[in-house]
Amino acid sequence: DLLFTEGRVDFQNVCFSYTAGKEILSEVSFTVMPGQTVALVGPSGSGKSTIIRLLFRFYDVQGGCILIDGQDISKVKQNSLRSYIGVVPQDTVLFNDNIRENIRYGRISASDQEVEEAAVAADIHHKILSFPDGYDTEVGERGLKLSGGEKQRVAIARTILKSPRIILLDEATSALDSQTECNIQASLAKVCANHTTLVVAHRLSTIIKADQILVLHDGRIAEQGRYFHL
Ligand code: ATP
Ligand code: MG
């Protein structure tokens, strides 16, 4: 279908509503240059996660367009678009399979060792080993007990393994202890270094490091710039 090579993202006058009459995003325009990290911040309900969902094409825009490397994503096959993007949603839902396959998902050629290395990098390896069946533990049926933040770390491990050109991260609002947070940020910094990253950021440490911050208010970009300029 096509090959994205750079990882540049353009939102051009994007408008979107989930239900008729209630506009959620209004004329949203911004550019993320290849390799940059953009932090999306703003009050609850301002449209941050919606931006992530549109870029992954959970929904199509109703006005304007979204381009990756100059190509309108609405004209790209969903599979090829998604092979190019890694997404860590706000509320990660795991697949009804074992935890190893949940991490391997999207990179079926990865070895068990690579899966475990990704889990170590996402700081979820020890938690997985604490289950009697370890990496073979089935998710769902036998009631795998993972918190929201732990499930999100499984999704981070998956993303680390996939190493996509564009990473979309909707940070969990749940508080992590500072050591865990520090470990994960170091791992993400490693994978994100050469990748374009859009992160819905709740943590100041994430916001400070971003190349660009977009402040959303009621579905519009109210302010834009680097941390020390805002
Ligand atoms: P938070 O910080 O709480 O995660 P957010 O900025 O990510 O908030 P969004 O999830 O983008 O907010 O939601 C923006 C608006 O769209 C909210 O008013 C929300 O109620 C509405 N919304 C979100 N998802 C849906 C949906 N599936 N159907 C209808 N409305 C929705
Ligand atoms: Mg959200």
Side-chain angles (χ1 to χ4, degrees):
D1 184 14
L2 89 171
L3 266 179
F4 299 118
T5 53
E6 299 291 319
R8 174 187 165 121
V9 175
D10 287 289
F11 272 59
Q12 297 184 344
N13 306 311
V14 169
C15 300
F16 179 75
S17 327
Y18 290 99
T19 51
K22 188 170 182 286
E23 194 158 72
I24 300 297
L25 295 181
S26 314
E27 302 277 336
V28 168
S29 299
F30 63 88
T31 294
V32 193
M33 295 305 286
Q36 267 199 341
T37 296
V38 162
L40 296 165
V41 301
S44 180
S46 57
K48 305 179 298 294
S49 298
T50 302
I51 286 180
I52 300 280
R53 292 179 200 124
L54 292 178
L55 188 48
F56 203 59
R57 267 193 83 192
F58 281 124
Y59 303 93
D60 280 318
V61 301
Q62 286 141 8
C65 59
I66 300 172
L67 310 177
I68 297 179
D69 294 344
Q71 307 191 59
D72 188 334
I73 64 166
S74 70
K75 299 187 172 71
V76 175
K77 276 196 202 123
Q78 210 165 47
N79 279 351
S80 47
L81 176 74
R82 292 183 176 183
S83 69
Y84 192 73
I85 298 176
V87 62
V88 180
Q90 194 166 10
D91 298 300
T92 300
V93 179
L94 299 178
F95 308 103
N96 196 5
D97 200 335
N98 65 38
I99 199 145
R100 188 193 318 281
E101 297 313 320
N102 265 279
I103 295 173
R104 186 164 10 228
Y105 180 85
R107 243 205 78 195
I108 46 172
S109 63
S111 68
D112 288 357
Q113 193 190 334
E114 287 172 313
V115 167
E116 293 189 21
E117 282 166 5
V120 169
D123 210 8
I124 193 68
H125 177 69
H126 290 291
K127 182 74 198 183
I128 296 169
L129 290 188
S130 76
F131 297 119
D133 293 331
Y135 281 84
D136 296 319
T137 305
E138 289 294 323
V139 171
E141 280 152 38
R142 269 189 279 172
L144 181 68
K145 288 189 180 61
L146 290 178
S147 72
E150 287 163 351
K151 279 188 221 157
Q152 191 165 54
R153 269 139 66 200
V154 171
I156 289 171
R158 183 188 298 153
T159 303
I160 287 171
L161 192 62
K162 184 176 173 185
S163 190
R165 178 61 59 200
I166 296 176
I167 294 175
L168 309 178
L169 172 62
D170 206 337
E171 267 185 357
T173 38
S174 57
L176 293 173
D177 63 90
S178 53
Q179 188 55 49
T180 304
E181 178 179 336
C182 198
N183 293 348
I184 293 176
Q185 291 216 338
S187 311
L188 274 174
K190 253 186 260 163
V191 286
C192 293
N194 299 309
H195 305 75
T196 305
T197 308
L198 269 81
V199 53
V200 175
H202 299 289
R203 297 176 202 128
L204 189 59
S205 51
T206 310
I207 296 168
I208 289 172
K209 282 185 217 135
D211 297 302
Q212 193 185 168
I213 300 160
L214 304 175
V215 184
L216 278 171
H217 261 281
D218 290 335
R220 292 175 185 277
I221 294 178
E223 279 188 282
Q224 181 163 2
R226 291 200 65 147
Y227 178 69
F228 293 105
H229 297 137
L230 294 179

